[in-house]
Amino acid sequence: MNYTLKQLQDRVSRMIEEQGEDSQCAAWIYTSEDIVKYDDDGNEVYPPQSLCDSVLCNLQDYDNIHTTIYDSIESELAWLESNNKVAA
């Protein structure tokens, strides 16, 4: 799901209330500033905001991103548990 920065801020605030401000997390945040191409001279070329919005909105359609994150969580859990690295 895509959020505006304000919606994301509200969601994070709720999570802090529920889980505490010292809870660990991992996050990847992309904004229109990350949507950039490069011209033949290596200069950054930023597309119009409407195109950036469409790119960011369409990122949710890439299931492999979610699958990779899930697989990584599973791998980390297995490794930590098998090596007795789980915090008490």
Side-chain angles (χ1 to χ4, degrees):
M1 175 168 220
N2 294 328
Y3 300 96
T4 64
L5 288 174
K6 176 62 177 145
Q7 289 170 323
L8 184 59
Q9 180 183 35
D10 293 343
R11 184 176 168 120
V12 169
S13 293
R14 281 193 307 277
M15 292 170 78
I16 290 171
E17 288 178 19
E18 293 170 2
Q19 300 177 33
E21 62 183 19
D22 294 326
S23 294
Q24 294 293 317
C25 71
W28 291 262
I29 299 173
Y30 294 91
T31 67
S32 57
E33 290 183 359
D34 298 302
I35 312 301
V36 61
K37 293 176 84 175
Y38 296 90
D39 64 17
D40 292 338
D41 295 324
N43 299 312
E44 294 178 342
V45 178
Y46 290 92
Q49 187 62 46
S50 60
L51 183 58
C52 293
D53 291 346
S54 292
V55 168
L56 291 168
C57 183
N58 291 338
L59 284 179
Q60 66 186 348
D61 296 334
Y62 288 86
D63 289 337
N64 60 318
I65 294 170
H66 303 290
T67 300
T68 299
I69 292 170
Y70 177 79
D71 289 346
S72 298
I73 290 170
E74 289 293 312
S75 293
E76 284 297 311
L77 283 170
W79 186 85
L80 291 169
E81 289 171 347
S82 69
N83 290 289
N84 296 319
K85 301 285 185 182
V86 180

